[in-house]
Amino acid sequence: MIPRTVFSEEHEQFRDTVRKFLEKEAAPFHSQWEKDGQVDRALWTKAGEMGFLCPQAPEAYGGLEVDFGYNAIIDEEIARAGLTGIGWGLHSDIAVPYIVNYGSEEQKQKYLPKCISGEIVTAIAMTEPGAGSDLQGVRTTAIKKDDHYLLNGSKTFITNGQHADLVIVVAKTNPEAGAAGTSLLLVEADSPGFKKGTNLEKIGMKAQDTSELFFDDVKVPADNLLGAEGQGFIYLMQELPQERLSVALGAIANAEAALGWTLNYVRERKAFGRAIAGFQNTQFKLAELDAELTAMRVFTDRCLELHYERKLDVATAAKAKLLTTDFQCKLLDECVQLHGGFGYMWEYPIARSWADARVQRIYAGTNEIMKLIISRELLKE
Ligand SMILES: Cc1cc2nc3c(=O)[nH]c(=O)nc-3n(C[C@H](O)[C@H](O)[C@H](O)COP(=O)(O)OP(=O)(O)OC[C@H]3O[C@@H](n4cnc5c(N)ncnc54)[C@H](O)[C@@H]3O)c2cc1C
């Protein structure tokens, strides 16, 4: 693998701390959390104490105010170890940045310190049973009445849904105005009328809590509007490149780890009197995967550099998400094949990663939607 130049020595020291923390505090318990359908809530506050939550957040609210490379390292280490139940990426890279970037001073003071300490777990609720890719079809409404919005509707597939204390809800404040009538609201989980559905049973990422959410005449204080009314779609478009970069970085880190597990396995495993690493098919498969992985790594690192410079555009982030997640799934499938029957056994990390990775092509915008974004940019007059 060619050397990476996107991380400084400080970044790498931080990586070491994150890796050791995960080895001690998460890896030994992850199988149990998969059975429980969620991680231990205490992991969040332990992470907060270590400075692993929202590292980019301003110092004024208790954050480290460091660059996105620190988030990237946390995402990579979680993905490398296959600890997919840990929802810090959704919290630190996706949800909390909305508060940092569009929140009022009052909202920042009220919520950010607790998001950083892990006392508050966040979620973002865009998807509904009837609207996923087509977010303009969102039917949840938030109608202004005096000093509050009356929130009605339901959401589904919401990551951190069970643990969430604070949810950023995408709702129509002006249902007649389409995208221009969409706003973001900060909804506290103990608000009367807000109910969490059951923890959804998934084919992978089993330790990640994912839920339906229901809003029945929830009174959301007008002060909990995030940013300006009707700007929700614009905010979403501005924040999505970072979400897609996180997914891409995780995809490559996990693919790299999976290739490593497979190299070890093919050296050990014998068939027809020799290690399966000795078959030309094995060698060629691994060589192809490694070559593609190298190219993907260079491209995603370049995207990370662009993001440091605030120059990562929507189409480039879409390319990164599309290419890396398709590749991650392809690599994992080839690696399961090289593991034979053991590759299908849950106790093997390769089997878990294979199941966990499938959703990478679906969430954060499906890979078909990534193609739409890229082609729209290509065909722009
Ligand atoms: C584990 C998990 C966690 C998730 N976490 C969250 C979360 O935290 N918050 C949240 O809001 N959502 C979350 N989601 C939802 C996720 O973002 C959506 O599932 C995704 O955007 C797709 O929407 P959909 O499921 O409604 O599929 P649909 O939009 O119904 O798509 C079905 C198929 O049609 C294709 N399709 C749709 N439109 C087009 C088009 N114009 N051209 C070509 N093909 C098209 C899609 O690509 C897909 O293949 C999560 C989902 C999962 C599974």
Side-chain angles (χ1 to χ4, degrees), residues 90 123-135 155-160 202 204-205 208 210 243 359 361-369 372:
L90 188 286
I124 179 156
M126 301 179 259
T127 308
E128 300 184 356
S133 301
D134 180 15
L135 275 182
K155 298 287 177 179
T156 194
F157 307 146
I158 305 307
T159 302
N160 294 344
K202 306 186 293 300
M205 290 196 162
Q208 171 66 74
T210 310
E243 172 172 357
V359 75
R361 289 154 57 196
I362 296 171
Y363 61 19
T366 66
N367 283 8
E368 290 72 34
I369 296 301
L372 268 185

Side-chain angles (χ1 to χ4, degrees), residues 239-289:
E239 294 302 308
L240 284 170
Q242 177 162 301
E243 172 172 357
R244 291 174 183 151
L245 175 61
S246 300
V247 170
L249 287 159
I252 292 306
N254 177 255
E256 208 169 76
L259 189 62
W261 304 329
T262 309
L263 288 170
N264 290 340
Y265 186 81
V266 298
R267 286 190 189 109
E268 295 287 316
R269 178 74 180 170
K270 301 239 169 6
F272 297 93
R274 62 205 288 205
I276 55 171
F279 298 123
Q280 193 183 52
N281 177 64
T282 308
Q283 294 161 2
F284 281 14
K285 285 279 179 218
L286 292 171
E288 275 170 21
L289 294 172

Side-chain angles (χ1 to χ4, degrees), residues 102-104 107 111 142 144 149 169 171 173 182-187 220-232 235:
Y102 311 108
S104 65
Q107 289 167 349
Y111 296 121
K144 187 113 184 249
Y149 290 91
V169 178
T173 41
T182 306
S183 303
L184 307 184
L185 293 170
L186 288 163
V187 183
V220 182
D223 287 345
N224 279 28
L225 175 73
L226 195 52
E229 222 183 71
Q231 296 294 299
Y235 300 153

Side-chain angles (χ1 to χ4, degrees), residues 110-183:
K110 184 170 179 193
Y111 296 121
L112 285 181
K114 289 185 177 171
C115 292
I116 295 163
S117 68
E119 286 162 87
I120 287 182
V121 172
T122 58
I124 179 156
M126 301 179 259
T127 308
E128 300 184 356
S133 301
D134 180 15
L135 275 182
Q136 300 206 19
V138 159
R139 290 174 61 181
T140 296
T141 53
I143 305 302
K144 187 113 184 249
K145 293 233 160 86
D146 310 321
D147 62 348
H148 64 268
Y149 290 91
L150 207 56
L151 181 67
N152 279 290
S154 64
K155 298 287 177 179
T156 194
F157 307 146
I158 305 307
T159 302
N160 294 344
Q162 295 288 307
H163 279 316
D165 305 290
L166 183 68
V167 184
I168 298 171
V169 178
V170 178
K172 293 266 171 75
T173 41
N174 182 355
E176 276 78 54
T182 306
S183 303

